[in-house]
Amino acid sequence: MQEQRETQYLVISFSHKHMDLTLREKLAFGDEEKLTFLRKLCECEAIKEAMLLSTCNRVEIYASVLDTKVAREYILENLESYKHIPIATLRECADIRLNQYAIYHTFSVASSLDSLVVGETQITGQLKDAYRFAYENLCCAKDITRLMHYAFKCAARVRNSVDISSSHTSVAGAAIHMLVAKFSQYGESLDSKEVVVLGAGEMAILALKHLAKYDTKITLINRSLQNAQSVVENFAQEFACKVEIKPFSQLQEVLDRADVLVSATGAPHSVISTEMIRPSTHKRIWFDLAVPRDIEEVQIENLEIYRVDDLQEIVTKNKQQRQENAKDAYEIVEQYTQEFFKWLQTLSVDPIIKHMRSLAKDSSLKELDKAIKKGFLPSEYRQNVEKILHNAFNTFLHKPTIRIKEAGESINSDPIIEAVKSIFDINDEIVMLNKYTCEEYFTESKNTKQS
């Protein structure tokens, strides 16, 4: 008989902390490529479920697994195959976490405590999109659904309870702040500058909102004019200035004239080649927020190009204040991590079935003792009647036991199990036979997590 293996949580993270921009853009996934990769992961017998998060600052694989060593090696080998990055490099850059360490990391990511800009508002939405993508494509089910359910609860609690945001609550906001600071160094202002925003996704919209606080002339360019028009119409009230829309075919002309470019497309390759970047007599500052990068490497007079990783300047400047504010947030993450594992224990069906049988046995024996005491049954018949009663409640509970076990394996198991617990008055203390203890890990790693 094959030994039943316990499900475990595994996270493999490649982030701005351990991997530079050049490698991160090689590792970045588009949706079509993401689906192929996820389906490949789910072919592995050691991996039950998987989801993939790919942003400008991180690529992370979240998985429920049956064999952590096999699953880890399989994921790294497939990353090497798909992205042509040597496995030795992947191992060196990977932050690999298991069970409570994986949960703590996931909750920290969802709460934006692990972000380049702590308190940034995008990451929770990006994590929700990654989960929805994996779920809708049948790459994840109840294990990761439970994990994400608690991660979003934790993120909401952190957001509503703790002020961890700096004045730049997004990568785009930090980028605009940096642009203002750079022009200030030259004795100039962002006001009156001609600004081009390339792209119409979430990052571009955030950039537009921040740019709209200044007296600038903004041009929005996107391959889809319809998407660009939709952005301007939907956010017209938030844009204090007028945003002009131009087709992608006019990009070259607009680039020659613009003082500022903020590029944030989702293209899998650069969209501004070196041939498109012409010399200019006026100072230009461009910010490339895309991963992979939108702008090819070039050295040209009067042009400064900044990338996502250049935001470290702002991050370092505000780090101490954010760390002080984030202490309470980390305590919330610790609390939710412990609660998550306790909650998982309450969803185990085996202790519930055992307790149901125990209730049936106790009730039968209680009635048997009453019958003998009142003289309804001779005491010498007790052993035989006890066997009959035992067989009777076993027969009665046989099908319900099978159904509960089947329900425990389905994606809709949680409400069914909770209903059974309620019907039989089974409280969580009865179910939680093996509690997880995370205190040692939290004490040991708290300072590390806050750095």
Side-chain angles (χ1 to χ4, degrees):
M1 185 174 179
Q2 188 176 4
E3 182 182 355
Q4 187 174 2
R5 293 179 290 178
E6 183 183 356
T7 299
Q8 300 182 75
Y9 285 100
L10 171 70
V11 174
I12 300 182
S13 170
F14 303 90
S15 74
H16 59 91
K17 292 183 176 181
H18 306 295
M19 181 176 270
D20 63 25
L21 178 59
T22 302
L23 279 174
R24 289 205 314 276
E25 64 184 355
K26 285 183 180 178
L27 202 57
F29 282 82
D31 280 352
E32 187 174 337
E33 189 181 20
K34 188 189 303 181
L35 180 56
T36 305
F37 182 74
L38 281 174
R39 285 176 173 166
K40 181 67 175 177
L41 294 189
C42 291
E43 291 177 5
C44 177
E45 290 185 0
I47 299 174
K48 290 176 64 183
E49 304 174 20
M51 64 172 271
L52 191 153
L53 174 68
S54 181
T55 75
C56 61
N57 285 318
R58 67 182 66 245
V59 171
E60 296 188 337
I61 294 95
Y62 303 80
S64 65
V65 304
L66 296 172
D67 186 315
T68 56
K69 185 176 180 181
V70 172
R72 180 190 66 208
E73 292 307 305
Y74 185 83
I75 290 169
L76 292 175
E77 287 167 5
N78 276 278
L79 280 173
E80 178 185 43
S81 174
Y82 272 71
K83 294 299 183 179
H84 308 294
I85 299 174
I87 199 166
T89 302
L90 292 172
R91 285 200 179 98
E92 183 181 350
C93 297
D95 191 357
I96 301 175
R97 313 239 174 168
L98 181 65
N99 289 330
Q100 68 262 37
Y101 301 85
I103 304 310
Y104 186 94
H105 174 80
T106 304
F107 292 1
S108 297
V109 169
S111 303
S112 84
L113 296 173
D114 198 62
S115 297
L116 181 65
V117 180
V118 173
E120 56 102 350
T121 54
Q122 282 182 280
I123 188 62
T124 306
Q126 291 168 333
L127 199 62
K128 286 181 179 178
D129 289 341
Y131 162 65
R132 188 182 298 112
F133 182 88
Y135 182 83
E136 290 176 352
N137 286 287
L138 306 179
C139 296
C140 72
K142 70 173 184 178
D143 295 338
I144 289 180
T145 294
R146 289 170 173 174
L147 174 61
M148 291 297 113
H149 165 75
Y150 245 80
F152 300 140
K153 278 178 63 177
C154 179
R157 171 76 183 280
V158 169
R159 186 171 60 249
N160 294 329
S161 304
V162 184
D163 180 15
I164 57 171
S165 300
S166 65
S167 57
H168 327 296
T169 53
S170 68
V171 171
I176 302 309
H177 176 84
M178 187 171 174
L179 285 169
V180 171
K182 292 297 179 184
F183 274 117
S184 180
Q185 290 176 7
Y186 303 118
E188 299 180 28
S189 168
L190 189 57
D191 291 332
S192 76
K193 300 294 183 184
E194 289 197 26
V195 180
V196 176
V197 175
L198 180 57
E202 185 179 3
M203 189 80 78
I205 292 169
L206 288 170
L208 284 169
K209 290 180 180 179
H210 285 280
L211 285 166
K213 299 172 185 176
Y214 301 90
D215 184 19
T216 57
K217 180 182 177 183
I218 301 176
T219 300
L220 176 61
I221 293 182
N222 191 54
R223 287 191 184 275
S224 168
L225 273 177
Q226 184 178 355
N227 288 350
Q229 288 166 351
S230 177
V231 166
V232 173
E233 289 170 4
N234 291 338
F235 296 92
Q237 294 181 346
E238 298 182 52
F239 299 156
C241 57
K242 182 180 178 182
V243 178
E244 185 178 3
I245 300 171
K246 290 197 174 181
F248 191 82
S249 59
Q250 294 186 26
L251 177 59
Q252 178 69 74
E253 174 190 337
V254 175
L255 284 179
D256 291 341
R257 191 175 65 246
D259 303 295
V260 173
L261 168 69
V262 178
S263 190
T265 78
H269 48 71
S270 61
V271 293
I272 300 176
S273 63
T274 53
E275 291 77 16
M276 296 173 67
I277 305 172
R278 299 171 179 172
S280 175
T281 56
H282 67 283
K283 188 71 181 176
R284 294 176 294 172
I285 299 179
W286 291 1
F287 217 111
D288 189 346
L289 300 181
V291 178
R293 286 173 280 190
D294 282 338
I295 307 170
E296 288 186 356
E297 289 287 351
V298 64
Q299 296 290 332
I300 192 168
E301 191 177 357
N302 289 325
L303 174 62
E304 295 177 20
I305 302 176
Y306 296 97
R307 316 287 184 179
V308 170
D309 284 10
D310 294 316
L311 287 172
Q312 193 63 47
E313 180 181 328
I314 293 176
V315 172
T316 303
K317 193 174 181 180
N318 297 303
K319 186 175 182 180
Q320 185 175 355
Q321 181 182 355
R322 286 199 311 278
Q323 282 184 335
E324 287 297 316
N325 294 341
K327 285 180 180 177
D328 290 341
Y330 282 110
E331 289 180 3
I332 292 172
V333 171
E334 293 171 10
Q335 173 192 337
Y336 270 78
T337 302
Q338 294 179 64
E339 287 182 1
F340 177 71
F341 278 103
K342 290 177 182 178
W343 177 66
L344 283 184
Q345 284 294 98
T346 71
L347 299 175
S348 173
V349 297
D350 290 337
I352 292 174
I353 292 169
K354 183 178 178 181
H355 190 67
M356 285 169 54
R357 291 182 174 277
S358 177
L359 289 173
K361 180 179 179 180
D362 290 346
S363 297
S364 299
L365 294 179
K366 185 177 179 181
E367 292 303 315
L368 178 57
D369 289 339
K370 277 184 185 179
I372 294 172
K373 186 176 181 180
K374 291 181 178 181
F376 299 152
L377 186 73
S379 59
E380 59 267 26
Y381 291 168
R382 190 184 199 285
Q383 189 173 0
N384 289 335
V385 174
E386 186 177 332
K387 289 180 180 178
I388 293 170
L389 290 173
H390 178 78
N391 290 336
F393 70 68
N394 265 352
T395 302
F396 175 75
L397 290 174
H398 178 65
K399 283 191 176 179
T401 298
I402 293 173
R403 296 290 182 268
I404 292 172
K405 286 184 175 181
E406 288 174 348
E409 295 301 317
S410 76
I411 193 169
N412 299 315
S413 63
D414 298 353
I416 296 172
I417 293 170
E418 289 297 331
V420 172
K421 285 163 58 182
S422 176
I423 291 168
F424 287 91
D425 196 24
I426 301 174
N427 62 52
D428 289 347
E429 289 304 315
I430 292 170
V431 178
M432 288 169 56
L433 303 178
N434 300 301
K435 295 184 180 181
Y436 287 80
T437 54
C438 306
E439 289 81 359
E440 185 176 329
Y441 161 67
F442 292 134
T443 303
E444 179 183 350
S445 63
K446 192 171 185 179
N447 293 332
T448 304
K449 292 294 178 186
Q450 292 177 359
S451 63

